[in-house]
Amino acid sequence: MMRLFDSHCHLQDPRILSVAPQLIRTSLDTGVVHFAVNGVSEKDWPLVKEMSDQYPCIIPNFGIHPWCVTERTPNWLNTLKGLLEATPAAAVGEIGLDKGTKGRQIDFSDQVEVFRQQLQLAKELKKPASIHCVRAFGDLLELLKSIGPFPAGVILHSYLGSAEMVPEFVKLGAYFSFSGFLMSSKESKAKKMLKAVPTERILLETDAPDALPKSINGQSLYLIRKEVSVPEETLDGSGRDTSELPADTPNHPANIHHILTYVSSMLQMPKEEIAGISFANAVRIFSYEGSKVLPEYQEASKLNIA
């Protein structure tokens, strides 16, 4: 069975928290070995830590999302630093910049300052950082240049930037993570951008419960059980055509297989090869001191397969 690493998701999200154990079990059964679960505010950091303590497969990430910067407490940075130091397995995230519809409601200078402090903290602690960026890639690049490079790496989560910017981000230590949002781009743009990314920098993610991918070649999506909504026979990967699902249908982490299929088709490479490459890349970037996957990376390095 292919091994996959969901490099960015939110299993602590209130929309899916009650069924998270079921989602994890189902995903593990399909070959998803690790989940990088990203906190978004001080409110959910304890829950992410609790889930990580309960599940060896969960890599905790703590950060303040740009949408949540107005909710931060005066002591947020010390709290974040203390939590990261007390949780060696943790990385930084989700952090970033947003000039999209929702991001425009948040003062951009506040976003920049909170993002800058978190980037500096990640670099100080030698941790990778998972970065959200919407319509602000120019600002992001300039900020990364002012603080970087980042030897521990940064993950440009759900990357939808241009192919032309890829080399500049790579110089700074960036990895590029792809979710179902990529499948909403024009195919020509997606293919050009994917081909610009060095294979050793490709990651796969679901961003669950967001970024529900499109069904590939009639293959059913994994869907999440709800009290109402979809009929029973469509749940957990079986059943009918999923092309007419409501836009707010929550995404299942096992749908990383659809992202894998799409990326492999765009790059014209076998799924098994992309799975192996993206898994090794994720293990590498999440192999900092104290990481849950560091022993796995060290063993792979001995065998020259990392």
Side-chain angles (χ1 to χ4, degrees):
M1 180 186 291
M2 292 183 295
R3 293 189 302 168
L4 292 169
F5 195 130
D6 188 344
S7 67
H8 188 106
C9 61
H10 302 275
L11 301 181
Q12 86 286 9
D13 189 290
R15 290 170 288 173
I16 60 173
L17 178 60
S18 65
V19 293
Q22 173 192 333
L23 305 186
I24 292 168
R25 284 195 303 270
T26 299
S27 301
L28 288 171
D29 287 345
T30 73
V32 186
V33 180
H34 300 295
F35 309 81
V37 175
N38 282 253
V40 297
S41 72
E42 290 164 274
K43 295 176 183 177
D44 73 358
W45 296 344
L47 182 53
V48 172
K49 186 177 190 312
E50 181 183 329
M51 295 180 79
S52 169
D53 291 343
Q54 183 176 358
Y55 294 99
C57 58
I58 288 181
I59 314 301
N61 291 244
F62 306 121
I64 291 189
H65 189 288
W67 294 355
C68 301
V69 298
T70 58
E71 302 169 17
R72 71 192 189 279
T73 67
N75 201 42
W76 72 270
L77 187 58
N78 288 331
T79 302
L80 177 58
K81 183 175 182 180
L83 184 58
L84 288 166
E85 290 176 336
T87 314
V92 176
E94 178 177 358
I95 66 177
L97 301 172
D98 195 307
K99 286 183 173 179
T101 303
K102 192 162 183 177
R104 286 197 296 271
Q105 301 171 30
I106 312 293
D107 184 88
F108 193 66
S109 62
D110 275 356
Q111 291 188 42
V112 168
E113 185 54 32
V114 171
F115 180 45
R116 180 191 300 277
Q117 292 180 75
Q118 293 181 99
L119 275 179
Q120 291 171 330
L121 181 59
K123 188 166 184 178
E124 173 191 335
L125 298 180
K126 300 178 181 178
K127 304 272 193 181
S130 191
I131 296 174
H132 165 111
C133 186
V134 174
R135 298 181 183 176
F137 284 101
D139 302 278
L140 174 63
L141 182 57
E142 290 309 307
L143 194 51
L144 291 179
K145 284 180 176 178
S146 72
I147 300 173
F150 299 87
V154 292
I155 298 167
L156 303 186
H157 122 78
S158 284
Y159 185 70
L160 291 176
S162 70
E164 289 74 19
M165 297 185 85
V166 167
E168 292 299 308
F169 284 124
V170 169
K171 290 177 188 174
L172 295 163
Y175 288 69
F176 303 79
S177 188
F178 300 104
S179 72
F181 287 127
L182 180 68
M183 300 164 76
S184 299
S185 300
K186 286 181 61 176
E187 187 173 303
S188 57
K189 179 186 176 183
K191 184 176 293 188
K192 180 181 179 182
M193 186 256 287
L194 279 167
K195 289 188 173 182
V197 176
T199 55
E200 68 273 14
R201 298 282 172 167
I202 292 174
L203 301 173
L204 303 178
E205 65 167 90
T206 60
D207 199 20
D210 293 313
L212 184 74
K214 295 178 181 178
S215 181
I216 298 288
N217 299 327
Q219 179 185 358
S220 296
L221 293 172
Y222 286 85
L223 300 178
I224 295 174
R225 189 180 305 276
K226 304 286 283 184
E227 286 75 10
V228 289
S229 75
V230 296
E232 183 76 16
E233 66 271 14
T234 70
L235 301 175
D236 290 337
S238 61
R240 63 173 173 80
D241 175 24
T242 57
S243 60
E244 297 181 1
L245 289 171
D248 61 350
T249 300
N251 189 15
H252 193 304
N255 286 324
I256 194 169
H257 290 274
H258 288 262
I259 312 306
L260 170 64
T261 298
Y262 185 74
V263 170
S264 65
S265 69
M266 291 294 100
L267 293 176
Q268 298 178 303
M269 294 171 65
K271 284 197 295 184
E272 293 77 10
E273 187 173 357
I274 295 294
I277 288 169
S278 61
F279 185 86
N281 293 343
V283 168
R284 185 189 318 119
I285 195 171
F286 284 105
S287 290
Y288 37 85
E289 185 177 352
S291 157
K292 290 183 177 183
V293 302
L294 181 57
E296 192 171 348
Y297 177 67
Q298 291 171 331
E299 184 60 30
S301 296
K302 290 177 188 175
L303 299 174
N304 295 316
I305 58 175

